[in-house]
Amino acid sequence: MSTLGIYVQVPFCQTKCTYCNFHTGVVSPDRFAPYVQAVQREISSARMLFDASSIGHEHLFDLPVDTVYVGGGTPSLLDAPLLGELLDTIRGNFQYDWREVTLEADPETIEPDKARQWVASGINRISFGSQSLVDDELKAAGRMHRAADIYKAVPILRDAGIHNISFDLIAGLPKQTHASWRHSLGETIALRPEHVSVYMMEIDEGSRLGLEVLNGGPRYSARELPSDDAMTEFYQLAQQELKAAGYEQYEISNWAKPGFASRHNLKYWRRERYLGFGAGAHSFSGTQRWANVHDAAAYVAAIRSGKAAMGSVESVTTEAALEEELFLGLRQIAGIDLSRVQREYGVDLQEKVGRLASRGMVEQHGDTLRLAPDRLQVSNEVLVELLR
Ligand code: SF4
């Protein structure tokens, strides 16, 4: 049966990490409640806002919501009752059969009372912004927490009744070495989260660190970044250690204990439908994609005046849908179903697949095409070949 995912964006943080290229801001806590009220209003008037923006929503509101993801930013900064009200608004406006309700939480924001209230409001999964278990790296990256906060937070979450914790790690932080990366991986595994995400450091002009690197400067420990080769080795070490510890890799950046793959994120990779609320949130109806404006103040102002806060709406052409299928399929270890692609898009990729397989880039098992395990980092190269 088809289901719907709901994403809520909370674009506020306590500080700006040096590597952060997200649209998030540091604002006074006074702005949290008005923002959440705007999101609640956007949710409860969604049908009307979609109609006014020519968004086709036939059957969308009939689908039961089975996953909710509250991300950011640092949504765990919000008072727990505010988060509870937000989830109540979703319950009041959609059919629901909640299986997975995730909150992104940073270690230093986790307290016993808060965690108990999260569980009481329906949150059953925490995406935990650990990033590294090494204080020098956390400090250099401008993170608010230290390793001690991580060790303290995990038992708090367990005691509160959270049985599904996902750790985020970043490969390629300034000051990271083989030994420190091995330490972060080992400590993560010892804390027994059900899920681990490993993200590769991105250097671009969207972050302070990225700009410093591009300008050749020394600030933010920009000259102490590991090399590209070292990052590749970090990734490969993560693959080995996580596999040995019983985690199954199911996507380029994601590993899970059996049964704990993220249902919500799988919706993105499988091109299932989801609605996003809040500044900068993205939505996909199956035939259209749209996104709200990033600026939180502009978002709140638009919603308060009864208008949609969409910055872009586009219909997904067949060509774009095929590109998405291939791009997202290559990210997943389950791969791409070639016969379905042929059936739905009238495209026979066999000849190109044969060429890529002969170069060791991809593997084909029956109708399934997937990247070779040691080529997971070259998905873009393969995508370009398949679309050529
Ligand atoms: S906590 Fe996350 S979203 Fe906030 S500044 Fe740091 S990296 Fe960016």
Side-chain angles (χ1 to χ4, degrees):
M1 187 179 69
S2 286
T3 57
L4 184 68
I6 288 190
Y7 177 85
V8 176
Q9 169 71 352
V10 180
F12 307 128
C13 291
Q14 300 190 83
T15 180
K16 191 82 178 170
C17 305
T18 63
Y19 59 87
C20 181
N21 56 8
F22 298 137
H23 294 272
T24 57
V26 180
V27 302
S28 156
D30 295 348
R31 286 184 48 194
F32 296 170
Y35 179 82
V36 170
Q37 281 155 13
V39 175
Q40 288 176 283
R41 184 163 172 182
E42 188 190 15
I43 293 169
S44 52
S45 50
R47 279 176 204 257
M48 186 266 287
L49 296 174
F50 290 178
D51 285 339
S53 309
S54 306
I55 301 283
H57 57 77
E58 211 188 349
H59 305 312
L60 216 50
F61 289 88
D62 301 333
L63 299 175
V65 173
D66 64 340
T67 66
V68 176
Y69 195 108
V70 185
T74 310
S76 56
L77 284 177
L78 299 183
D79 285 341
L82 261 187
L83 276 171
E85 285 165 26
L86 186 58
L87 294 174
D88 282 345
T89 302
I90 298 173
R91 285 189 188 93
N93 286 277
F94 290 89
Q95 299 185 51
Y96 63 93
D97 175 19
W98 287 1
R99 300 299 168 99
E100 185 186 277
V101 183
T102 303
L103 174 72
E104 284 185 356
D106 280 353
E108 78 282 4
T109 62
I110 293 172
E111 294 156 13
D113 192 41
K114 233 177 173 182
R116 279 192 294 270
Q117 291 183 67
W118 292 342
V119 172
S121 66
I123 289 161
N124 58 14
R125 181 172 186 270
I126 294 293
S127 176
F128 190 61
S130 45
Q131 320 305 356
S132 162
L133 281 282
V134 176
D135 282 353
D136 274 355
E137 294 170 15
L138 293 168
K139 225 183 286 173
R143 297 291 312 190
M144 289 289 284
H145 71 279
R146 298 293 174 259
D149 295 312
I150 297 172
Y151 297 117
K152 200 171 108 194
V154 172
I156 291 176
L157 293 174
R158 295 300 191 200
D159 287 349
I162 297 284
H163 306 298
N164 190 352
I165 300 178
S166 177
F167 266 51
D168 281 355
L169 291 176
I170 300 178
L173 285 169
K175 295 181 182 285
Q176 204 164 50
T177 63
H178 282 89
S180 73
W181 176 244
R182 191 178 281 280
H183 175 80
S184 286
L185 275 176
E187 292 296 283
T188 297
I189 289 167
L191 286 164
R192 305 165 71 90
E194 284 70 26
H195 188 281
V196 179
S197 300
V198 175
Y199 298 110
M200 307 299 277
M201 173 63 89
E202 286 177 17
I203 294 298
D204 58 38
E205 63 284 355
S207 71
R208 287 181 289 154
L209 173 62
L211 273 178
E212 194 67 8
V213 172
L214 297 173
N215 292 330
R219 288 184 299 171
Y220 317 121
S221 305
R223 293 186 181 151
E224 294 177 78
L225 280 164
S227 67
D228 286 351
D229 285 350
M231 275 171 62
T232 302
E233 286 162 21
F234 294 172
Y235 181 81
Q236 289 165 349
L237 185 65
Q239 284 184 302
Q240 287 160 23
E241 299 282 308
L242 290 168
K243 186 176 180 187
Y247 293 88
E248 290 168 0
Q249 185 171 14
Y250 67 103
E251 198 265 349
I252 287 185
S253 305
N254 289 283
W255 287 256
K257 287 280 171 77
F260 286 94
S262 165
R263 285 170 176 255
H264 185 83
N265 288 339
L266 278 169
K267 286 191 196 303
Y268 300 146
W269 302 319
R270 292 176 177 165
R271 299 187 73 250
E272 294 173 13
R273 286 169 282 192
Y274 55 88
L275 295 179
F277 298 103
H282 288 246
S283 302
F284 177 54
S285 66
T287 54
Q288 285 172 296
R289 289 190 182 275
W290 63 98
N292 282 343
V293 292
H294 283 293
D295 184 80
Y299 164 81
V300 171
I303 298 295
R304 271 191 181 159
S305 63
K307 295 195 189 115
M310 291 162 202
S312 65
V313 180
E314 60 185 53
S315 294
V316 182
T317 61
T318 309
E319 203 179 20
L322 172 63
E323 195 168 323
E324 288 177 10
E325 286 269 1
L326 299 180
F327 171 72
L328 297 167
L330 287 173
R331 291 193 64 96
Q332 297 176 68
I333 306 305
I336 296 166
D337 180 342
L338 290 171
S339 57
R340 190 176 62 79
V341 167
Q342 180 154 21
R343 213 169 44 241
E344 291 183 11
Y345 298 93
V347 176
D348 184 356
L349 295 170
Q350 199 51 60
E351 201 182 314
K352 292 171 182 170
V353 169
R355 279 203 302 272
L356 286 162
S358 68
R359 286 160 52 201
M361 311 277 280
V362 298
E363 291 177 348
Q364 185 178 357
H365 302 280
D367 278 340
T368 303
L369 167 70
R370 61 172 71 106
L371 290 170
D374 60 343
R375 300 298 179 104
L376 292 180
Q377 289 167 292
V378 297
S379 60
N380 282 344
E381 209 177 308
V382 173
L383 179 67
V384 169
E385 293 271 338
L386 290 175
L387 291 171
R388 190 170 278 165

